Amino acid sequence: MRTLIGWCSALLLNFSVSTSSLAVDIGQQGDNFLVSIDGQEFALYDTGKDNARPFFRNVRAADGTIVSRPISPPGGDHPHHTGIWVAVDKVNDIKFWAQEGRIKNRAVEVVETGSNPAVLKVKNDWLNPNGEVVLKERTTICIFENRLLIYDIRFTTGEEPVTFGDTEEGFFAFRMADSIREEATGEIVNADGLKTAKGCWGRQSNWVDYSGQVEGRKYGVAIFDHPLNFRPGRYHVRDYGLFAINPFGEHDYTEGKLPAQPVTLPAESSLELQYGMYFHPGDVDAGNVARVYQDFLRKTESPTKGQQEIQYRSSADGTVQPAMFYAPKRDQKVPLLVALHTWSGDYKQDDHEECLQWCIEKGWVYIHPNFRGPNRNPAATGSELVIQDIEDTVTFASQHANVDPSRVYLVGTSGGGYAALLMAGRRPELWAGVSAWVPIVDLESWYYENKADGDKHWREIANSCGGPPDASKKVKEQYAKRSPITWLKNARAVNVDINAGIRDGHVGSVPVSHSLRAFNKIANEPDRLSEEEIAYFVQEAQVPDHLMYEITDPSYGDKQPLFRRQAQNVRITLFDGGHELIPQAAMNWLEHQRQVESLQQEIAN
């Protein structure tokens, strides 16, 4: 996910590892691991053999002063607050923060030592009160000589889904020495200039800094949020010295202003999160916290400078969904391209690689979602979950990049063309242009066409819709509901470009009748093709004589258009080819599209 796993190893290769006198060393001491910087102790990683979870204890500033609270001090509050730790309540309703469930360390690997950064990889199992594994945690910790820690946290489910409930009790945390707390000498400020525990608690911000005195000297710690986490975290910062960031408490942190938004990981899936913690001398300014936060972002950039794997929460069912994402650094607003994978593909498919490269060269934002993966089951194949997942990617991209809302584009091929036309009909208000290539338009028709041809997809369609089309009225309704042809009348309010190779259905799997009927559904009646004309295109893989005219479009290269018709905001092109995408033609057309106010007014009405 967004190169998180193995990220620190990539960092070691790409960020000029230092082996100077300020190298970071990690040495094993019994079951635990001592981290030293420039030969001086920094912190001890306690694997939790005698505790309910692993954590860092005895965290020291550069001069050796301990800035963390002792573990379970006599008469101290909240004995479950332990140094630097990761935990949260309500994981399948088990309170791991309150230590009602155990987080058991299984292994610690010292990946790099005597370097800058040094790297630990830890394997922890989150156990229910019966000792059964609920969740697996694999965390990579990079420790830099300036006392910046970067945590890459990956949770993986087993055969059962896991739900993170809505709670303020979590997640990536530090408990500071009592003299630093706000009740004593502490000062708290966030990246937006808000101050005090009361002012910063429950807020989202790039960072929060908490500083105060130990024996007359000032020390501070900052927590950094990563912009590509599935959701911005909220800070659980208290005047008594607790300091944490938590992405799982939308209801609790807003005191009920927002609804509870639990996050569910489906079986055999993962959630990845990334945070930083920085220990510094002095206050927020003396510690250069704003500058170090930018350094944190640079250190966590993808080494390829291309797309990164991200995750976002589906607003339909609360599950975490993956996508590939690219966002250029631009002050001005730029277009967004949403690219949709093929029928049997997923978000890692590279069929739109040329579209991605176009976006990189032009400075566009790009996102390639999973929308429930291959079209083989009811959760995929044009479901309500699919519709919302694709819409949610637009929201995610708009929150994480400077997107021009009047230039949001959609492109898809085959099954992606199917989903693109479905979105044109179901969510026309989102798009300035939709480019659909060799799309499936009518699932019932395609079911029978596939079965007649002996292709495999008819079984996948039946599995998605509940059976063959004639199984029952309810099943037949599913075919219609999941078919773009049912919704395309709504696409009259968006610019749509439909393309198919004229030999598709002969050398490919989707007859051109699907594209032609999609055009007919959007176009006004005088501009539509007759059923006789459609039949001729399908049977002969040629243009009827009375529809022939010369067309030249350089963007199609050697696969020139053989037939084209424009009607209002929809265009159909049959080109000299088969079941394929011509990226240059798709992107060239999309680049010239803008949301049309008159068309958007139709949607509003």
Side-chain angles (χ1 to χ4, degrees):
M1 306 295 293
R2 73 167 189 273
T3 68
L4 291 189
I5 300 305
W7 166 83
C8 278
S9 297
L11 184 146
L12 289 166
L13 295 172
N14 289 284
F15 285 93
S16 301
V17 176
S18 169
T19 55
S20 68
S21 60
L22 291 181
V24 184
D25 294 289
I26 302 174
Q28 189 165 357
Q29 291 190 348
D31 295 319
N32 303 323
F33 294 81
L34 180 66
V35 181
S36 301
I37 299 175
D38 193 23
Q40 303 296 316
E41 292 185 14
F42 169 52
L44 182 74
Y45 186 78
D46 188 322
T47 58
K49 183 178 181 181
D50 300 318
N51 295 279
R53 58 175 170 247
F55 58 95
F56 277 106
R57 66 161 75 226
N58 300 337
V59 183
R60 299 173 185 267
D63 64 3
T65 300
I66 294 179
V67 295
S68 58
R69 189 185 73 164
I71 306 305
S72 302
D77 62 87
H78 302 88
H80 53 279
H81 293 177
T82 52
I84 304 170
W85 76 100
V86 173
V88 66
D89 276 353
K90 294 188 179 180
V91 178
N92 283 0
D93 290 326
I94 302 168
K95 294 183 177 181
F96 286 96
W97 179 267
Q99 299 185 340
E100 291 179 9
R102 184 176 183 187
I103 302 173
K104 184 175 179 59
N105 177 256
R106 298 299 188 187
V108 176
E109 178 187 358
V110 178
V111 179
E112 291 289 339
T113 184
S115 58
N116 180 29
V119 182
L120 277 176
K121 283 189 177 182
V122 301
K123 296 181 179 180
N124 301 322
D125 288 347
W126 293 41
L127 310 177
N128 65 21
N130 296 325
E132 300 164 330
V133 177
V134 175
L135 192 65
K136 289 184 178 294
E137 174 203 339
R138 302 295 181 261
T139 295
T140 300
I141 307 169
C142 288
I143 308 164
F144 293 83
E145 55 85 16
N146 67 345
R147 286 171 164 73
L148 169 65
L149 287 75
I150 298 179
Y151 270 60
D152 265 326
I153 305 161
R154 179 176 184 174
F155 293 117
T156 302
T157 57
E159 296 179 354
E160 300 293 332
V162 171
T163 296
F164 291 81
D166 194 294
T167 176
E168 69 179 54
E169 304 294 0
F171 160 73
F172 175 53
F174 177 66
R175 182 62 192 260
M176 57 198 57
D178 284 346
S179 64
I180 298 176
R181 60 188 179 180
E182 190 181 53
E183 292 176 333
T185 65
E187 297 178 351
I188 300 168
V189 62
N190 72 11
D192 306 298
L194 297 177
K195 297 182 178 181
T196 75
K198 185 176 180 180
C200 296
W201 186 87
R203 301 276 186 174
Q204 297 173 339
S205 190
N206 289 338
W207 52 262
V208 172
D209 187 74
Y210 201 139
S211 61
Q213 295 182 12
V214 178
E215 298 180 353
R217 292 186 178 182
K218 198 157 198 173
Y219 304 91
V221 56
I223 292 179
F224 299 150
D225 197 3
H226 198 284
L228 290 184
N229 288 331
F230 81 95
R231 173 196 286 161
R234 296 183 183 273
Y235 289 87
H236 193 16
V237 53
R238 294 298 199 183
D239 59 5
Y240 60 77
L242 172 65
F243 187 23
I245 187 169
N246 179 9
F248 302 114
E250 295 297 279
H251 174 273
D252 281 13
Y253 285 122
T254 61
E255 298 178 330
K257 292 183 177 69
L258 291 177
Q261 298 178 33
V263 176
T264 298
L265 299 189
E268 299 181 348
S269 66
S270 297
L271 171 65
E272 298 179 18
L273 296 160
Q274 192 169 47
Y275 298 103
M277 188 175 289
Y278 167 55
F279 295 88
H280 60 85
D283 62 10
V284 63
D285 294 322
N288 295 310
V289 170
R291 179 185 61 77
V292 176
Y293 173 73
Q294 294 301 319
D295 190 40
F296 162 73
L297 296 182
R298 284 190 293 272
K299 284 173 163 48
T300 53
E301 284 182 344
S302 168
T304 64
K305 302 297 182 183
Q307 62 180 341
Q308 300 184 66
E309 190 169 340
I310 59 89
Q311 294 173 311
Y312 62 95
R313 178 184 181 273
S314 168
S315 60
D317 65 355
T319 58
V320 173
Q321 296 297 320
M324 302 304 295
F325 181 60
Y326 169 76
K329 294 179 180 179
R330 293 287 190 275
D331 293 330
Q332 72 276 21
K333 291 187 178 298
V334 298
L336 164 66
L337 179 67
V338 181
L340 304 180
H341 63 72
T342 62
W343 183 269
S344 301
D346 63 16
Y347 71 105
K348 292 186 176 180
Q349 188 181 53
D350 62 1
D351 282 32
H352 292 100
E353 178 66 26
E354 291 183 53
C355 297
L356 168 62
Q357 292 306 315
W358 170 290
C359 291
I360 292 172
E361 292 169 10
K362 296 275 187 176
W364 291 18
V365 182
Y366 173 91
I367 194 161
H368 190 255
N370 196 47
F371 58 102
R372 310 290 160 149
N375 292 281
R376 297 170 184 160
N377 60 76
T381 322
S383 71
E384 294 300 312
L385 296 173
V386 164
I387 301 302
Q388 194 58 53
D389 283 359
I390 296 172
E391 181 175 356
D392 286 343
T393 64
V394 176
T395 302
F396 176 92
S398 299
Q399 291 172 342
H400 291 82
N402 199 6
V403 171
D404 181 348
S406 71
R407 299 191 67 190
V408 178
Y409 303 126
L410 185 62
V411 65
T413 307
S414 187
Y418 155 71
L421 289 182
L422 194 59
M423 291 302 297
R426 295 293 304 273
R427 297 290 188 272
E429 70 278 5
L430 295 176
W431 318 109
V434 175
S435 181
W437 291 74
V438 292
I440 301 104
V441 172
D442 185 332
L443 287 180
E444 182 173 345
S445 295
W446 204 47
Y447 170 89
Y448 288 116
E449 289 159 357
N450 263 254
K451 196 166 186 181
D453 291 342
D455 207 338
K456 65 178 181 179
H457 298 307
W458 67 271
R459 292 186 178 88
E460 297 168 343
I461 302 168
N463 190 51
S464 298
C465 295
D470 57 1
S472 69
K473 181 180 178 181
K474 184 177 180 180
V475 169
K476 195 174 184 70
E477 287 172 350
Q478 281 295 309
Y479 277 80
K481 186 176 182 180
R482 295 167 185 259
S483 293
I485 199 74
T486 304
W487 307 96
L488 280 175
K489 61 183 179 182
N490 301 328
R492 293 169 185 166
V494 61
N495 301 308
V496 178
D497 191 36
I498 305 167
N499 291 264
I502 201 165
R503 292 184 293 281
D504 199 4
H506 295 263
V507 295
S509 58
V510 183
V512 296
S513 53
H514 286 262
S515 293
L516 296 170
R517 291 198 173 102
F519 172 82
N520 276 0
K521 198 69 175 180
I522 302 172
N524 290 335
E525 188 170 354
D527 299 310
R528 296 171 187 168
L529 293 149
S530 69
E531 282 301 314
E532 291 77 13
E533 289 167 337
I534 292 174
Y536 187 91
F537 277 116
V538 172
Q539 293 165 12
E540 303 299 329
Q542 294 181 5
V543 181
D545 290 344
H546 68 284
L547 296 179
M548 282 187 176
Y549 67 97
E550 187 174 347
I551 309 167
T552 301
D553 189 332
S555 67
Y556 283 72
D558 60 359
K559 297 180 182 292
Q560 282 295 296
L562 303 175
F563 170 76
R564 172 171 286 170
R565 181 171 288 184
Q566 178 86 39
Q568 299 83 49
N569 62 304
V570 61
R571 185 178 79 167
I572 178 72
T573 301
L574 299 185
F575 59 88
D576 186 10
H579 192 72
E580 58 194 304
L581 162 74
I582 303 175
Q584 182 68 30
M587 300 307 297
N588 184 70
W589 180 84
L590 286 170
E591 186 177 28
H592 293 89
Q593 307 309 307
R594 304 290 187 277
Q595 278 195 337
V596 182
E597 288 187 14
S598 61
L599 296 178
Q600 293 302 308
Q601 188 60 46
E602 288 185 27
I603 298 172
N605 291 337

